[in-house]
Amino acid sequence: MHSSLSNIRVAGIAVTTGSIVRDFIADGLAAGVERTALERTAQTIGLRERRVAAPGVTALDLCADASERLLAEMGLDATSIDAVIFVTQTPDHSQPNNASLLHGRLGLSKSAPAYDLSLGCSGWVYGLHQAALLCAHGGAARVLLCAGDTLSRLTNPGDRSTDPLFGDAGSATLVEKTGRAAPFHFVLGADGSGAQAIIVKQGGARQPGGPLTEKIDEDGNRRHDANLAMNGADVFSFTLREVPTSVQSVLRHAGFSPESLDALVLHQANRFMLSTLAKKIGVDEDRTPMGVVEKYGNQSSASIPCALVDGLGDRLTTGSLKIAGCGYGVGLSWGAFAGEFGPLAVAPILPFPR
Amino acid sequence: MNRLEMLNALKADIDILARADEATVLGALPGWDSLAILLVVSHCEHVHDLEVRGPQIRACHTVADLLDLIKSLS
């Protein structure tokens, strides 16, 4: 689905990470993996450090911290927000949703609706589209989009195909209605036939509970049904199939060429994936931020805002950049975007608690 | 691309296959793991413009089987 929305702008971004630093090599050695194998993986995939949430800290806490810092950075009162959207796969409770909890915590107006979107690595783009819709057509002037997860809680320490990958983070993005901005363009899609490729089987209504029996897969990875399971090769194939065509499509709608982009900001899955995608899309690596995953890990729906702040924050505070990007992951789902970002407020990436 | 060229491209692209021949048993190679399968997926897409799925690669016993798979999808 293609969608173009006018008269909106991204006014500010903040990202809060987990506070515990995990080292890929040290963790692997502790798990009994040979150093040469670890170094081979680290070099090929691009894994070094990640930041995970401290015990008891949730995606809601991380996003609340990011929101409070962003509002302070912009000098805004929480009551000026017309709606809040929370993108997460790791909410505090099955009911109520995280957006309502954040609404109460920040003290938003009763006239401000609050709802969640259940999406992972593609979710920030879906949330941005939703926030832009509310501003362009829904009567909102200012929408707070929060996107974050604590996926490190869902992986099994004995599963080397998922456990070393994920960092925990929460982001806050403020979207505003404005009369003078170029349109933002979106291409959103899904392939539910691949839904089993990334899944946590237990914890929903279909399989609410039951014994957690660990199984060992053909690579020796251990996990049970409440753990995140991911078929890396199938996810990689899906990404190579869908992401380049979606980005090329959104670029056509925006009238941008790969050469004209200031930056290509993709979901920060791993350096190998990013490098392969940049090559296929036709944007050189210098214009494709890739540093997030080696510092913070794969941050799910917070990774694109984190890449914007980490890789482009200084330039975004002072000028305007022509940016395209894409989120992709669980669902399977993807969302590509293209538009002019900046100047905007950027709060520094900080851990929580500090 | 003939079979020898396909083999040489694989060996050049994937380090753990650098010394392999057609008779090499994939499962016996140190490092033949989920990362290696991902590299083969990437190689097939990049070099041959083919979409290969993980289970198809896992079903290959030897390098010859892998070449047969690529040939069959070409």
Side-chain angles (χ1 to χ4, degrees):
Chain A
M1 182 190 84
H2 165 244
S3 173
S4 292
L5 297 166
S6 298
N7 300 326
I8 59 121
R9 74 180 194 109
V10 174
I13 305 175
V15 177
T16 297
T17 70
S19 60
I20 298 174
V21 179
R22 300 285 297 270
D23 181 87
F24 174 72
I25 299 285
D27 284 356
L29 290 172
V33 184
E34 288 181 11
R35 179 178 285 276
T36 49
L38 290 166
E39 287 174 347
R40 172 174 160 262
T41 304
Q43 189 174 359
T44 307
I45 299 290
L47 302 175
R48 191 161 54 90
E49 284 185 355
R50 59 198 175 102
R51 286 181 178 267
V52 303
V57 172
T58 69
L60 175 65
D61 300 322
L62 298 174
C63 285
D65 181 74
S67 300
E68 287 164 355
R69 291 195 297 112
L70 180 60
L71 292 173
E73 179 78 23
M74 299 180 73
L76 293 174
D77 191 279
T79 55
S80 71
I81 292 169
D82 296 317
V84 58
I85 299 163
F86 205 121
V87 180
T88 189
Q89 301 248 291
T90 49
D92 275 25
H93 310 290
S94 57
Q95 296 178 51
N97 63 31
N98 261 18
S100 296
L101 296 171
L102 185 67
H103 185 288
R105 198 183 284 197
L106 295 179
L108 302 193
S109 158
K110 286 183 185 175
S111 63
Y115 54 93
D116 282 13
L117 296 180
S118 178
L119 285 160
C121 304
S122 64
W124 183 80
V125 182
Y126 278 75
L128 183 65
H129 179 251
Q130 191 67 204
L133 271 174
L134 291 179
C135 287
H137 302 299
R142 183 173 287 148
V143 177
L144 177 62
L145 162 63
C146 286
D149 272 314
T150 49
L151 292 186
S152 75
R153 299 262 166 72
L154 298 177
T155 58
N156 189 311
D159 184 353
R160 300 298 300 166
S161 72
T162 58
D163 193 58
L165 305 180
F166 294 101
D168 302 323
S171 66
T173 304
L174 205 64
V175 178
E176 289 182 341
K177 190 179 185 76
T178 176
R180 52 184 169 73
F184 269 71
H185 302 269
F186 298 88
V187 169
L188 308 176
D191 179 4
S193 71
Q196 301 292 318
I198 307 172
I199 191 166
V200 180
K201 288 183 179 170
Q202 193 174 109
R206 178 71 60 190
Q207 191 179 333
L212 295 177
T213 308
E214 283 190 342
K215 295 172 189 160
I216 302 177
D217 71 12
E218 50 204 332
D219 289 323
N221 294 307
R222 307 171 73 91
R223 72 181 77 87
H224 53 63
D225 280 357
N227 290 139
L228 176 67
M230 180 167 69
N231 183 329
D234 281 359
V235 173
F236 189 67
S237 296
F238 139 76
T239 303
L240 293 184
R241 185 173 63 243
E242 302 296 348
V243 172
T245 53
S246 299
V247 172
Q248 284 153 4
S249 174
V250 85
L251 290 178
R252 273 197 306 277
H253 287 296
F256 296 172
S257 66
E259 296 76 25
S260 73
L261 289 176
D262 292 304
L264 174 69
V265 182
L266 302 165
H267 163 57
Q268 306 281 293
N270 59 64
R271 181 176 283 275
F272 181 69
M273 181 92 84
L274 292 168
S275 177
T276 305
L277 288 173
K279 200 178 297 175
K280 272 188 80 85
I281 293 165
V283 176
D284 55 76
E285 293 192 9
D286 288 348
R287 289 181 291 141
T288 309
M290 298 186 186
V292 163
V293 70
E294 283 164 86
K295 282 189 272 190
Y296 303 110
N298 177 339
Q299 298 170 312
S300 185
S301 56
S303 87
I304 292 177
C306 194
L308 287 167
V309 174
D310 184 71
L312 304 166
D314 289 344
R315 294 167 69 194
L316 284 170
T317 55
T318 55
S320 176
L321 300 178
K322 198 179 281 186
I323 295 175
C326 191
Y328 45 90
V330 66
L332 297 167
S333 63
W334 58 95
F337 64 94
E340 301 260 357
F341 286 70
L344 54 86
V346 172
I349 300 167
L350 292 176
F352 176 85
R354 290 180 282 284
Chain B
M1 195 180 277
N2 65 34
R3 196 169 176 92
L4 181 60
E5 289 168 332
M6 284 166 56
L7 174 61
N8 286 337
L10 262 179
K11 291 167 66 166
D13 219 14
I14 301 171
D15 58 353
I16 64 163
L17 297 178
R19 294 180 182 174
D21 57 32
E22 289 210 29
T24 299
V25 175
L26 296 168
L29 286 169
W32 183 253
D33 54 14
S34 56
L35 174 60
I37 288 167
L38 193 142
L39 293 173
V40 174
V41 170
S42 173
H43 171 84
C44 291
E45 196 280 335
H46 180 61
V47 175
H48 302 284
D49 197 24
L50 291 175
E51 185 179 332
V52 184
R53 298 181 69 93
Q56 291 175 298
I57 298 167
R58 286 185 186 280
C60 294
H61 180 60
T62 62
V63 171
D65 296 335
L66 199 52
L67 295 174
D68 288 342
L69 172 65
I70 296 169
K71 189 73 181 170
S72 70
L73 295 170
S74 299

Coordinates of all heavy atoms in Angstrom, one line a residue, chain A residues 181-243:
Chain A
A181 N 5.3 21.8 4.9 CA 6.2 20.7 4.7 C 5.9 19.9 3.4 O 4.8 19.8 3.1 CB 6.2 19.8 5.9
A182 N 7.0 19.4 2.8 CA 6.8 18.5 1.7 C 6.2 17.2 2.2 O 6.4 16.9 3.4 CB 8.2 18.2 1.0
P183 N 5.5 16.5 1.3 CA 4.8 15.3 1.8 C 5.8 14.2 2.2 O 6.9 14.1 1.7 CB 4.0 14.8 0.6 CG 4.4 15.6 -0.6 CD 5.2 16.8 -0.1
F184 N 5.3 13.3 3.1 CA 6.0 12.1 3.5 C 5.4 11.0 2.7 O 4.1 11.0 2.5 CB 5.9 11.8 5.0 CG 7.0 12.4 5.8 CD1 7.1 13.7 6.0 CD2 7.9 11.5 6.4 CE1 8.2 14.3 6.7 CE2 9.0 12.1 7.1 CZ 9.1 13.4 7.3
H185 N 6.2 10.0 2.2 CA 5.6 8.9 1.4 C 5.9 7.6 2.2 O 7.0 7.4 2.8 CB 6.3 8.9 0.1 CG 6.1 10.2 -0.7 ND1 5.0 10.4 -1.5 CD2 6.8 11.3 -0.7 CE1 5.1 11.6 -2.0 NE2 6.2 12.2 -1.5
F186 N 5.0 6.7 2.1 CA 5.1 5.4 2.7 C 4.7 4.3 1.8 O 3.8 4.4 1.0 CB 4.1 5.3 4.0 CG 4.4 6.4 5.0 CD1 3.8 7.6 5.0 CD2 5.3 6.1 6.1 CE1 4.1 8.6 5.9 CE2 5.5 7.0 7.1 CZ 4.9 8.3 7.0
V187 N 5.4 3.2 1.9 CA 4.9 1.9 1.3 C 4.9 0.9 2.4 O 6.0 0.5 2.9 CB 5.9 1.5 0.1 CG1 5.6 0.1 -0.4 CG2 5.7 2.5 -1.1
L188 N 3.8 0.4 2.7 CA 3.6 -0.6 3.8 C 3.2 -2.0 3.2 O 2.3 -2.0 2.3 CB 2.6 -0.2 4.8 CG 2.8 1.3 5.3 CD1 1.6 1.6 6.3 CD2 4.1 1.4 6.1
G189 N 3.7 -3.1 3.8 CA 3.3 -4.4 3.3 C 3.4 -5.5 4.3 O 4.1 -5.3 5.3
A190 N 2.8 -6.6 4.0 CA 2.9 -7.7 4.9 C 2.8 -9.0 4.2 O 2.3 -9.1 3.0 CB 1.8 -7.7 6.0
D191 N 3.4 -10.1 4.7 CA 3.3 -11.4 4.2 C 3.1 -12.4 5.3 O 4.0 -13.0 5.9 CB 4.6 -11.8 3.4 CG 4.6 -13.2 2.8 OD1 3.5 -13.8 2.9 OD2 5.6 -13.6 2.3
G192 N 1.8 -12.6 5.6 CA 1.4 -13.4 6.8 C 1.7 -14.9 6.6 O 1.8 -15.6 7.5
S193 N 2.0 -15.3 5.3 CA 2.4 -16.7 5.1 C 3.7 -17.0 5.7 O 4.1 -18.2 5.9 CB 2.4 -17.0 3.6 OG 3.5 -16.4 3.0
G194 N 4.5 -16.0 6.1 CA 5.8 -16.2 6.7 C 5.8 -15.9 8.2 O 6.8 -15.7 8.8
A195 N 4.6 -15.9 8.8 CA 4.4 -15.5 10.2 C 5.2 -16.4 11.2 O 5.7 -15.9 12.2 CB 3.0 -15.5 10.6
Q196 N 5.5 -17.6 10.8 CA 6.2 -18.5 11.7 C 7.7 -18.2 11.7 O 8.4 -18.8 12.6 CB 5.9 -20.0 11.3 CG 4.5 -20.4 11.2 CD 3.9 -20.5 12.6 OE1 4.5 -21.0 13.6 NE2 2.6 -20.0 12.7
A197 N 8.2 -17.4 10.9 CA 9.6 -17.2 10.8 C 10.2 -16.5 12.0 O 11.3 -16.6 12.4 CB 10.0 -16.5 9.5
I198 N 9.3 -15.6 12.6 CA 9.7 -15.0 13.9 C 8.5 -15.1 14.8 O 7.5 -14.5 14.5 CB 10.0 -13.5 13.7 CG1 11.1 -13.3 12.5 CG2 10.5 -12.8 14.9 CD1 11.3 -11.8 12.2
I199 N 8.7 -15.8 15.9 CA 7.5 -16.1 16.7 C 7.9 -16.4 18.1 O 8.9 -17.0 18.4 CB 6.7 -17.3 16.1 CG1 5.3 -17.5 16.7 CG2 7.5 -18.6 16.1 CD1 4.4 -18.4 15.9
V200 N 7.0 -15.9 19.0 CA 7.0 -16.4 20.4 C 5.6 -17.1 20.6 O 4.6 -16.5 20.6 CB 7.1 -15.2 21.4 CG1 7.1 -15.7 22.9 CG2 8.3 -14.4 21.2
K201 N 5.7 -18.4 20.7 CA 4.4 -19.2 20.6 C 3.6 -19.0 21.9 O 2.3 -19.0 21.8 CB 4.7 -20.7 20.4 CG 5.2 -21.0 19.0 CD 5.5 -22.5 18.8 CE 6.0 -22.7 17.4 NZ 6.4 -24.1 17.3
Q202 N 4.2 -18.9 23.0 CA 3.5 -18.9 24.3 C 3.3 -17.5 24.8 O 4.2 -16.7 24.7 CB 4.1 -19.8 25.3 CG 3.3 -20.1 26.5 CD 3.9 -21.1 27.5 OE1 4.3 -20.7 28.5 NE2 4.0 -22.3 27.0
G203 N 2.2 -17.3 25.4 CA 1.9 -16.0 26.1 C 0.7 -15.2 25.5 O 0.3 -14.3 26.1
G204 N 0.2 -15.7 24.4 CA -1.0 -15.1 23.9 C -2.2 -16.0 24.2 O -2.1 -17.0 24.9
A205 N -3.4 -15.7 23.6 CA -4.6 -16.5 23.9 C -4.6 -17.9 23.4 O -5.2 -18.8 23.9 CB -5.8 -15.7 23.4
R206 N -3.8 -18.1 22.3 CA -3.8 -19.4 21.7 C -3.0 -20.4 22.5 O -3.4 -21.6 22.6 CB -3.1 -19.3 20.3 CG -2.9 -20.6 19.5 CD -4.2 -21.2 19.0 NE -4.9 -20.2 18.1 CZ -6.1 -20.4 17.7 NH1 -6.9 -21.4 18.1 NH2 -6.7 -19.5 16.9
Q207 N -2.0 -19.9 23.2 CA -1.2 -20.8 24.0 C -0.7 -20.0 25.3 O 0.4 -19.6 25.4 CB 0.0 -21.3 23.3 CG 0.8 -22.4 23.9 CD 2.0 -22.9 23.1 OE1 2.0 -22.8 21.9 NE2 3.0 -23.4 23.7
P208 N -1.7 -19.8 26.2 CA -1.4 -18.8 27.3 C -0.4 -19.3 28.3 O 0.3 -18.5 28.9 CB -2.8 -18.7 27.9 CG -3.6 -19.9 27.5 CD -3.1 -20.3 26.2
G209 N -0.3 -20.6 28.5 CA 0.7 -21.1 29.5 C 1.0 -22.5 29.2 O 0.8 -23.0 28.1
G210 N 1.5 -23.2 30.2 CA 1.8 -24.6 30.0 C 3.3 -24.8 30.3 O 4.0 -23.9 30.6
P211 N 3.7 -26.1 30.3 CA 5.1 -26.4 30.7 C 6.1 -25.8 29.7 O 5.8 -25.8 28.5 CB 5.1 -28.0 30.6 CG 3.9 -28.4 29.8 CD 2.9 -27.3 30.0
L212 N 7.2 -25.4 30.2 CA 8.2 -24.8 29.4 C 9.3 -25.8 29.2 O 10.3 -25.8 29.9 CB 8.7 -23.5 30.0 CG 7.7 -22.3 30.1 CD1 8.3 -21.1 30.7 CD2 7.2 -22.0 28.7
T213 N 9.1 -26.6 28.2 CA 10.1 -27.7 27.9 C 11.1 -27.2 26.9 O 10.7 -26.9 25.7 CB 9.4 -28.9 27.4 OG1 8.4 -29.3 28.3 CG2 10.4 -30.1 27.3
E214 N 12.4 -27.2 27.2 CA 13.4 -26.7 26.2 C 13.6 -27.8 25.2 O 13.7 -29.0 25.5 CB 14.7 -26.4 26.9 CG 14.7 -25.1 27.6 CD 16.1 -24.7 28.1 OE1 17.0 -25.6 28.2 OE2 16.3 -23.5 28.4
K215 N 13.7 -27.3 23.9 CA 14.1 -28.3 22.9 C 15.4 -27.8 22.2 O 15.7 -26.6 22.3 CB 13.0 -28.3 21.8 CG 11.7 -28.9 22.3 CD 10.6 -28.7 21.3 CE 9.2 -29.1 21.9 NZ 8.1 -28.5 21.2
I216 N 16.1 -28.7 21.6 CA 17.4 -28.3 21.0 C 17.2 -28.5 19.5 O 16.8 -29.6 19.0 CB 18.5 -29.2 21.5 CG1 18.7 -29.1 23.0 CG2 19.9 -28.9 20.8 CD1 19.7 -30.0 23.6
D217 N 17.6 -27.4 18.7 CA 17.4 -27.5 17.3 C 18.7 -28.1 16.6 O 19.6 -28.5 17.3 CB 17.1 -26.1 16.7 CG 18.2 -25.2 16.7 OD1 19.4 -25.6 16.9 OD2 18.0 -24.0 16.4
E218 N 18.7 -28.2 15.3 CA 19.8 -28.9 14.6 C 21.1 -28.2 14.7 O 22.1 -28.8 14.5 CB 19.4 -29.1 13.1 CG 19.0 -27.8 12.4 CD 18.1 -28.1 11.2 OE1 18.3 -29.2 10.6 OE2 17.3 -27.3 10.8
D219 N 21.1 -26.9 15.1 CA 22.4 -26.2 15.4 C 22.8 -26.2 16.8 O 23.7 -25.6 17.2 CB 22.3 -24.8 14.9 CG 22.2 -24.7 13.4 OD1 22.9 -25.5 12.7 OD2 21.4 -23.8 12.9
G220 N 22.0 -27.0 17.6 CA 22.3 -27.0 19.1 C 21.8 -25.9 19.9 O 22.1 -25.8 21.1
N221 N 20.9 -25.1 19.3 CA 20.3 -24.0 20.1 C 19.1 -24.5 20.9 O 18.3 -25.3 20.5 CB 19.8 -22.9 19.1 CG 21.0 -22.2 18.4 OD1 21.9 -21.8 19.0 ND2 20.9 -22.2 17.1
R222 N 19.1 -24.0 22.2 CA 18.0 -24.4 23.1 C 17.0 -23.3 23.2 O 17.3 -22.1 23.3 CB 18.6 -24.6 24.5 CG 19.8 -25.6 24.5 CD 20.4 -25.6 25.9 NE 19.5 -26.3 26.8 CZ 19.6 -27.6 27.1 NH1 20.5 -28.3 26.5 NH2 18.8 -28.1 28.0
R223 N 15.7 -23.7 23.2 CA 14.6 -22.7 23.5 C 13.4 -23.4 23.8 O 13.2 -24.6 23.5 CB 14.4 -21.8 22.3 CG 13.8 -22.4 21.1 CD 13.6 -21.4 19.9 NE 14.9 -21.2 19.2 CZ 15.3 -21.9 18.2 NH1 14.6 -22.9 17.7 NH2 16.5 -21.7 17.6
H224 N 12.5 -22.7 24.5 CA 11.1 -23.2 24.8 C 10.1 -22.3 24.2 O 10.4 -21.3 23.5 CB 10.9 -23.4 26.3 CG 11.2 -22.2 27.1 ND1 10.5 -21.1 27.0 CD2 12.1 -22.0 28.1 CE1 10.9 -20.2 27.9 NE2 11.9 -20.7 28.6
D225 N 8.8 -22.7 24.3 CA 7.8 -22.0 23.6 C 7.5 -20.5 24.0 O 6.9 -19.7 23.3 CB 6.4 -22.7 23.7 CG 6.4 -23.9 22.7 OD1 7.4 -24.1 22.0 OD2 5.4 -24.7 22.8
A226 N 8.0 -20.1 25.2 CA 7.9 -18.7 25.6 C 9.1 -17.9 25.1 O 9.2 -16.7 25.4 CB 7.8 -18.6 27.1
N227 N 10.1 -18.6 24.5 CA 11.2 -17.8 23.9 C 11.0 -17.4 22.5 O 10.2 -18.0 21.8 CB 12.5 -18.8 23.9 CG 13.0 -19.1 25.2 OD1 13.4 -20.2 25.5 ND2 13.1 -18.1 26.1
L228 N 11.7 -16.3 22.1 CA 11.6 -15.9 20.7 C 12.4 -16.9 19.8 O 13.5 -17.3 20.1 CB 12.3 -14.5 20.6 CG 12.5 -13.9 19.2 CD1 11.1 -13.5 18.6 CD2 13.4 -12.7 19.3
A229 N 11.7 -17.3 18.8 CA 12.3 -18.2 17.8 C 12.4 -17.5 16.5 O 11.4 -16.9 16.1 CB 11.5 -19.5 17.7
M230 N 13.5 -17.6 15.8 CA 13.7 -16.9 14.5 C 14.4 -17.8 13.5 O 15.5 -18.4 13.9 CB 14.4 -15.6 14.7 CG 14.6 -14.8 13.5 SD 15.2 -13.1 13.7 CE 16.8 -13.4 14.3
N231 N 13.8 -17.9 12.4 CA 14.5 -18.7 11.3 C 15.3 -17.6 10.5 O 14.8 -16.9 9.6 CB 13.5 -19.3 10.4 CG 14.1 -20.2 9.3 OD1 15.2 -19.8 8.8 ND2 13.4 -21.2 8.9
G232 N 16.6 -17.5 10.8 CA 17.4 -16.4 10.3 C 17.5 -16.4 8.8 O 17.5 -15.4 8.1
A233 N 17.7 -17.6 8.2 CA 17.9 -17.7 6.7 C 16.6 -17.3 6.0 O 16.6 -16.5 5.0 CB 18.2 -19.1 6.3
D234 N 15.4 -17.7 6.5 CA 14.2 -17.3 5.9 C 13.9 -15.8 6.1 O 13.4 -15.1 5.2 CB 13.0 -18.1 6.5 CG 12.9 -19.5 5.9 OD1 13.8 -19.8 5.0 OD2 12.0 -20.2 6.3
V235 N 14.2 -15.2 7.2 CA 14.1 -13.8 7.4 C 15.0 -13.0 6.5 O 14.6 -12.0 5.9 CB 14.3 -13.4 8.9 CG1 14.4 -11.9 9.1 CG2 13.3 -14.1 9.8
F236 N 16.2 -13.5 6.3 CA 17.2 -12.9 5.4 C 16.6 -12.9 4.0 O 16.7 -11.9 3.3 CB 18.5 -13.6 5.6 CG 19.6 -12.9 4.8 CD1 20.1 -11.7 5.2 CD2 20.2 -13.5 3.7 CE1 21.2 -11.1 4.6 CE2 21.3 -12.9 3.1 CZ 21.7 -11.7 3.5
S237 N 16.1 -14.1 3.6 CA 15.6 -14.2 2.2 C 14.4 -13.2 2.0 O 14.3 -12.5 1.0 CB 15.1 -15.6 1.9 OG 16.1 -16.5 2.0
F238 N 13.5 -13.2 3.0 CA 12.4 -12.3 2.9 C 12.8 -10.8 2.8 O 12.3 -10.0 2.0 CB 11.5 -12.5 4.2 CG 10.9 -11.2 4.8 CD1 9.9 -10.5 4.2 CD2 11.5 -10.7 6.0 CE1 9.4 -9.4 4.8 CE2 11.0 -9.6 6.5 CZ 9.9 -8.9 5.9
T239 N 13.8 -10.5 3.6 CA 14.3 -9.1 3.6 C 14.9 -8.7 2.2 O 14.6 -7.6 1.7 CB 15.4 -8.9 4.7 OG1 14.8 -9.3 6.0 CG2 15.9 -7.5 4.8
L240 N 15.7 -9.6 1.7 CA 16.3 -9.3 0.4 C 15.3 -9.2 -0.7 O 15.4 -8.5 -1.7 CB 17.3 -10.4 0.0 CG 18.6 -10.5 0.9 CD1 19.5 -11.6 0.3 CD2 19.3 -9.2 0.9
R241 N 14.2 -10.0 -0.5 CA 13.1 -10.0 -1.5 C 12.2 -8.7 -1.5 O 11.9 -8.1 -2.5 CB 12.2 -11.2 -1.3 CG 11.1 -11.4 -2.3 CD 10.4 -12.8 -2.1 NE 9.7 -12.8 -0.8 CZ 10.0 -13.7 0.2 NH1 10.9 -14.6 0.0 NH2 9.3 -13.7 1.3
E242 N 11.9 -8.3 -0.3 CA 10.9 -7.2 -0.1 C 11.4 -5.8 0.1 O 10.8 -4.8 -0.3 CB 9.9 -7.6 1.1 CG 9.2 -8.9 0.9 CD 8.3 -9.0 -0.2 OE1 8.0 -7.9 -0.9 OE2 7.8 -10.1 -0.6
V243 N 12.5 -5.7 0.9 CA 13.0 -4.4 1.3 C 13.5 -3.5 0.1 O 13.0 -2.4 -0.1 CB 14.0 -4.5 2.4 CG1 14.6 -3.1 2.7 CG2 13.4 -5.0 3.7

